[in-house]
C-alpha cells in the first residue's frame, strides 16, 4: 500500500490509506477472522501470516493508519488503552525507575502505584509541568522511562514534550506520551522527540463509543519496541479483527470530529468563563490557562474537546448540575460524537487530585448552542 507524502493526513485517513482489496476490488477492507493460515509445502509461511495471536491483516491495516497519523516507524493496536500503556511498562525490567505524572488517567495511576511496584518497578509521581522538579527527580542510570499525559485528565495541564524528551534522552531514558486527548491531529509527540506515543483508541481514534482499543506507535524499531511486541504477543493482547475494522471505519472521520469537538470546547470554555455559577474553567485554549503559551506552541489546529468546569456551589452543586442535564450524557469515557459529563471525584475516590467541585466535559459534535443551553440550565438549577 503506497501513501506518497504529497497527500495530507486528512486525505490519507479518509481513504484508509487508499485501500483496494486485490481479490475483489472492494474499497472497504475485508475483516480477516482466520486464526490460522496455510503453510507452504516446504512449511514456510510466505504470506507473512502464521497465527492470529501475533498478527492479523485487519489489525495491520489499522496499525498502518495509526503509524501514518503519528509519523511513526511502526504501530501496534491492543485490546484497550490500559493494555497498551501496561505493555510499555511491562517491557521495562524489575528495578527500573519510572517518572509518571501526578495528574493522569486514574486507572493507570492506580495500576502503577499499586501493581507495577509489586512487579519491581520503582514508580515516582512528579509534576511534569515543572521541568526543574522533573530534572531533579531523574536518577542517573536508573530512570528508564518518563511517562507523560498531555493535556492530562481531568485538570488539562499541559506538559512540554520537546523539553522533557531532551531531559529523558540526556539521562538515557525513554519518553512515552499518552496522547489520547490531544489526538494525532493536534499534537505530534514523536516529531517533538518522544519515543513512544500511546492512545486509548476507545476515545477519539474510534470516536463512536463502540470499541475498546489501545494503540502504541514508535519512533524507532529498537530493542524496546521488540520487547513491547513480545508483551502483546505473549499476553495475547492483540485487538480483535472486528474491533480493528470498526477502528479503521471510525478513524476515517477523525480529522473532522477533532476539529468540531475542539471548536465546541473552545466556545463552551469561553462562555462558561463568564458564567455566574462557574468558579473556574480548565481548558488549555484559554489565555488564563497556566500553560496556555506552551499549548499554543505544542498543539496545532485546536486545544482538544476536553475541558472541566469548577462550580461556585462546590461539590453539591456539581453533583446536582450533572443530575439535571438533559442533552449531555452523564457517563464516563470521552472522545465520542456525543457529549459526556462526569463528576470525576465520585469515581476517583480518596487520594485523587481531582477537586470535588469539578465536572469533566467531553464535547462531542452536537450544536454548541444546544450544549450550552442544556448545561446552563443544569448549573442554574444546581444553585437553588
Ligand atoms: C480512557 C483512557 C485510557 C485507558 O484506555 P481504555 O481504552 O479505557 O483502556 C488511558 N488514558 C487516557 C487519557 C484515557 O482517556
Amino acid at each position: 500500500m503506497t501513501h506518497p507524502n504529497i497527500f495530507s493526513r486528512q486525505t490519507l485517513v479518509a481513504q484508509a490509506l487508499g485501500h483496494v482489496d486485490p481479490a475483489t476490488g472492494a474499497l472497504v477492507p475485508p475483516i480477516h477472522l482466520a486464526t490460522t493460515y496455510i503453510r507452504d509445502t516446504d512449511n514456510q509461511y510466505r504470506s507473512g501470516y502464521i497465527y492470529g495471536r501475533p498478527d492479523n491483516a485487519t489489525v495491520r491495516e489499522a496499525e498502518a493508519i495509526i503509524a501514518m497519523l503519528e509519523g511513526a516507524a511502526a504501530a501496534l493496536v491492543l485490546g484497550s488503552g490500559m493494555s497498551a500503556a501496561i505493555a510499555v511498562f511491562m517491557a521495562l525490567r524489575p528495578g527500573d525507575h519510572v517518572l509518571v505524572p501526578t495528574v493522569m488517567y486514574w486507572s493507570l495511576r492506580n495500576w502503577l502505584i499499586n501493581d507495577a511496584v509489586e512487579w519491581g518497578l520503582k514508580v515516582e509521581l512528579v509534576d511534569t509541568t515543572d521541568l526543574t522538579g522533573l530534572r531533579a527527580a531523574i536518577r542517573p542510570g536508573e530512570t528508564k522511562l518518563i511517562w507523560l499525559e498531555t493535556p492530562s485528565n481531568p485538570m488539562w495541564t499541559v506538559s512540554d514534550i520537546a523539553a522533557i524528551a531532551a531531559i529523558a534522552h540526556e539521562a538515557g531514558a525513554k519518553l512515552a506520551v499518552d496522547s489520547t486527548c490531544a489526538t494525532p491531529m493536534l499534537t505530534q509527540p514523536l516529531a517533538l522527540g518522544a519515543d513512544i506515543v500511546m492512545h486509548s483508541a476507545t476515545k477519539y481514534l474510534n470516536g463512536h463509543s463502540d470499541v475498546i482499543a489501545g494503540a502504541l506507535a514508535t519512533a524507532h524499531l529498537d530493542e524496546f519496541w521488540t520487547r513491547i511486541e513480545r508483551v502483546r504477543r505473549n499476553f495475547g493482547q492483540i485487538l480483535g479483527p472486528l474491533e480493528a475494522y470498526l477502528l479503521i471505519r471510525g478513524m476515517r472521520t477523525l480529522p473532522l470530529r477533532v476539529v468540531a469537538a475542539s471548536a465546541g470546547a473552545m466556545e463552551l470554555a469561553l462562555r462558561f468563563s463568564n458564567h455566574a455559577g462557574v468558579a473556574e474553567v480548565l481548558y488549555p485554549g484559554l489565555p488564563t490557562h497556566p500553560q496556555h503559551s506552551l499549548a499554543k506552541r505544542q498543539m496545532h489546529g485546536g486545544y482538544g474537546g476536553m475541558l472541566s468546569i469548577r462550580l461556585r456551589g462546590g461539590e453539591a452543586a456539581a453533583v446536582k448540575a450533572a443530575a439535571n442535564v438533559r442533552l449531555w450524557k452523564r457517563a464516563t469515557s470521552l472522545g465520542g460524537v456525543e457529549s459526556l459529563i462526569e463528576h470525576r471525584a465520585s469515581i476517583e475516590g480518596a487520594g485523587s487530585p481531582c477537586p470535588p467541585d469539578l465536572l469533566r466535559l467531553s464535547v462531542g459534535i452536537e450544536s454548541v448552542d444546544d450544549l450550552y443551553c442544556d448545561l446552563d440550565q443544569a448549573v442554574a438549577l444546581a444553585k437553588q
Side-chain angles (χ1 to χ4, degrees):
M1 221 179 314
T2 55
H3 43 92
N5 54 16
I6 51 168
F7 297 125
S8 69
R9 294 184 300 152
Q10 176 166 351
T11 297
L12 292 169
V13 76
Q15 297 196 356
L17 298 177
H19 179 96
V20 179
D21 178 45
T24 62
L27 290 184
V28 172
I31 306 172
H32 292 276
L33 294 169
T35 56
T36 190
Y37 301 84
I38 200 84
R39 284 191 180 204
D40 299 331
T41 49
D42 59 356
N43 284 324
Q44 299 293 300
Y45 283 102
R46 288 187 186 78
S47 73
Y49 294 96
I50 299 172
Y51 185 54
R53 177 157 44 72
D55 207 356
N56 171 278
T58 311
V59 164
R60 274 196 200 175
E61 294 208 30
E63 290 169 349
I65 294 168
I66 292 166
M68 177 278 291
L69 288 170
E70 289 291 5
L76 287 172
V77 293
L78 299 92
S80 70
M82 278 294 282
S83 63
I86 289 174
V88 175
F89 289 98
M90 294 301 275
L92 295 166
R93 292 181 168 86
D96 286 352
H97 176 241
V98 298
L99 292 174
V100 307
T102 37
V103 180
M104 69 183 296
Y105 181 71
W106 186 241
S107 302
L108 182 57
R109 186 183 196 262
N110 276 347
W111 181 80
L112 285 163
I113 60 182
N114 296 314
D115 299 273
V117 290
E118 292 195 13
W119 286 94
L121 284 184
K122 293 177 184 153
V123 177
E124 185 172 343
L125 303 176
V126 286
D127 175 359
T128 55
T129 65
D130 169 16
L131 296 181
T132 314
L134 183 80
R135 209 178 266 113
I138 294 267
R139 299 185 198 161
E142 211 183 319
T143 307
K144 294 292 158 61
L145 181 78
I146 301 179
W147 183 269
L148 293 184
E149 180 179 321
T150 180
S152 70
N153 253 293
M155 312 297 284
W156 317 114
T157 53
V158 178
S159 296
D160 191 334
I161 297 171
I164 296 169
I167 294 171
H169 295 156
E170 206 182 289
K174 303 237 174 238
L175 174 64
V177 180
D178 180 343
S179 198
T180 299
C181 294
T183 82
M185 305 321 297
L186 306 179
T187 305
Q188 297 263 273
L190 302 184
L192 293 166
D195 302 287
I196 304 270
V197 54
M198 173 250 146
H199 289 278
S200 167
T202 310
K203 314 294 170 53
Y204 290 97
L205 291 181
N206 179 63
H208 295 77
S209 307
D210 54 8
V211 170
I212 296 285
L216 295 170
T218 185
H220 331 278
L221 299 176
D222 55 8
E223 197 240 330
F224 190 57
W225 184 248
T226 306
R227 287 175 70 87
I228 292 172
E229 285 178 325
R230 288 217 310 269
V231 172
R232 185 186 77 167
R233 182 171 69 237
N234 295 329
F235 282 63
Q237 293 172 330
I238 193 169
L239 188 65
L242 294 168
E243 286 76 10
Y245 170 80
L246 282 170
L247 177 56
I248 294 168
R249 176 177 158 137
M251 285 192 291
R252 290 176 186 261
T253 56
L254 174 73
L256 298 179
R257 288 186 283 102
V258 171
V259 165
S262 295
M266 185 75 222
E267 179 66 25
L268 291 172
L270 289 169
R271 291 200 203 177
F272 281 108
S273 294
N274 296 306
H275 193 285
V278 174
E280 193 184 1
V281 178
L282 309 175
Y283 187 61
L286 291 176
T288 49
H289 184 279
Q291 293 98 33
H292 177 65
S293 61
L294 167 62
K296 211 167 163 179
R297 253 188 295 133
Q298 184 166 282
M299 304 182 79
H300 303 283
Y303 298 93
M306 297 303 300
L307 72 153
S308 295
I309 57 175
R310 299 185 63 180
L311 296 201
R312 280 198 202 287
E315 177 167 13
V319 171
K320 202 166 169 197
N324 280 304
V325 290
R326 285 177 286 206
L327 177 62
W328 292 78
K329 295 291 175 281
R330 200 168 39 258
T332 197
S333 197
L334 56 99
V337 289
E338 64 287 297
S339 294
L340 306 180
I341 185 166
E342 185 173 32
H343 183 248
R344 283 298 299 174
S346 316
I347 47 167
E348 296 200 358
S352 160
C354 178
D357 57 6
L358 180 145
L359 289 172
R360 185 179 83 172
L361 308 177
S362 170
V363 181
I365 62 168
E366 306 94 330
S367 144
V368 74
D369 286 328
D370 292 344
L371 292 173
Y372 179 78
C373 290
D374 185 47
L375 194 49
D376 174 47
Q377 65 80 29
V379 171
L381 279 174
K383 267 201 306 197
Q384 286 154 21

